[in-house]
Structure formats: C-alpha cells, structure tokens
Amino acid sequence: MALERTFSIIKPDATRRNLTGKINAMLEDAGLRIIAQKRIRMTQEQAETFYGVHKERAFFPDLVKFMTSGPVVVQVLEGEGAVLKNREVMGATNPANAEDGTIRKLFGESVEANSAHGSDSPENAAIEIAYFFAGAEIVG
Ligand code: RTP
Ligand code: MG
C-alpha cells in the first residue's frame, strides 16, 4: 500500500479533557506519523465551510457551535493507507457503535462530541489539508 496523507482533528470535547497526548499516542501506535499539527480556535466560518457537506442536516447548527466551543488540534497524518487506518483507529461516528479500543469508544461523549475527525477519502483529505495548512507547515 502507498504512503498516504489524511487530515485529523482532535475535537473540543477532547482538548477540554486534556486528551491530546493520549489520542496522539493511539494514532502513532497505529503507525500514523503526525507530520503537521497546530492548536487553533476554529472560527464560525471555518466550521461552516469545513462541514459544508452537512449544511442541510438538522444537526448542522449544533455541530458548528460545538466545533467552535473550544480549542481544536488540526493535524496531517501520514502512513500506509492513512485515510482508512485513521478511520479504524477513530471508530464509528456514534461512540455507542464504535469498536472497543477505538478513540471514539474510549473518549467520545456523544454522537456529536465524538473526540476526533478523520477525512473520509484521499480526495477530501487533500482538500481539508489545504484548507488548514500551508505547504511549508507540513514536514513529511
Ligand atoms: P467526521 O466527519 O467528524 O470525521 O465524522 P464522521 O465522518 O464519522 O461523521 P459525519 O457523518 O461526517 O458527521 C460529521 C460530524 O457531525 C456530528 N454529528 N452529529 N447529532 C447527530 O446526529 C450528529 N451526526 C453527526 C459528529 O461530530 C460527526 O463526527
Ligand atoms: Mg465525515
């Protein structure tokens, strides 16, 4: 399998509980390398654009409010099959349905406050990475 990059977010429910290090250790243990990382407060505009695909969904306003409610850590992860691998380590969207040992099972509080985001395809990963990082900030 080829080296691939994906975009990851440690969400506000996780930064609030000081879980950045624990989540990063799980990503690294899975063979993913954190090649860019910064802690930011997402603006309303960034959250609305980032989750724009969901803008017609009933949960969209709540989701934007949640994603701007505290600091997030945005990351670029690199590894073999990084997109799928990261989705595996995160687990299902709803922590109640996530496999044991996954980030969302261990740390997720609800279907919304589910601790982590990971790109769902290499195409979206490229778009999401470019939205939050300049090329020079990514050191592979
Ligand atoms: P993400 O995009 O954050 O990696 O999560 P995902 O692919 O597993 O799930 P997606 O369907 O893309 O949903 C994006 C985020 O919206 C919140 N959500 N809330 N209240 C609800 O029913 C609901 N459903 C989704 C979650 O924060 C989810 O991760
Ligand atoms: Mg998604």
Side-chain angles (χ1 to χ4, degrees):
M1 222 186 290
L3 256 196
E4 194 172 74
R5 289 177 179 185
T6 192
F7 178 73
S8 164
I9 305 177
I10 301 177
K11 294 186 180 182
D13 66 287
T15 62
R16 178 167 44 76
R17 286 173 289 150
N18 210 21
L19 293 170
T20 300
K22 286 201 173 76
I23 290 173
N24 279 350
M26 290 175 72
L27 299 172
E28 291 179 343
D29 286 349
L32 294 163
R33 187 176 296 275
I34 302 164
I35 61 169
Q37 172 168 263
K38 58 190 173 189
R39 181 173 162 108
I40 62 167
R41 184 73 179 249
M42 220 184 254
T43 65
Q44 166 124 356
E45 190 193 337
Q46 283 175 321
E48 285 175 356
T49 302
F50 181 73
Y51 278 124
V53 64
H54 296 308
K55 66 174 180 290
E56 306 302 335
R57 308 285 290 275
F59 63 75
F60 182 72
D62 266 2
L63 176 58
V64 170
K65 201 169 162 197
F66 165 62
M67 290 302 291
T68 57
S69 68
V72 299
V73 177
V74 292
Q75 309 175 308
V76 181
L77 309 178
E78 187 175 76
E80 306 266 315
V83 170
L84 259 183
K85 190 174 278 183
N86 184 39
R87 301 280 292 188
E88 277 173 22
V89 183
M90 283 196 303
T93 307
N94 187 343
N97 302 329
E99 298 278 336
D100 283 346
T102 60
I103 291 169
R104 285 166 166 173
K105 181 69 166 200
L106 278 168
F107 303 127
E109 297 181 314
S110 68
V111 66
E112 177 178 84
N114 59 6
S115 302
H117 160 79
S119 307
D120 58 15
S121 66
E123 295 72 27
N124 283 336
I127 293 167
E128 293 173 2
I129 289 168
Y131 189 59
F132 284 101
F133 287 98
E137 293 179 302
I138 304 167
V139 185

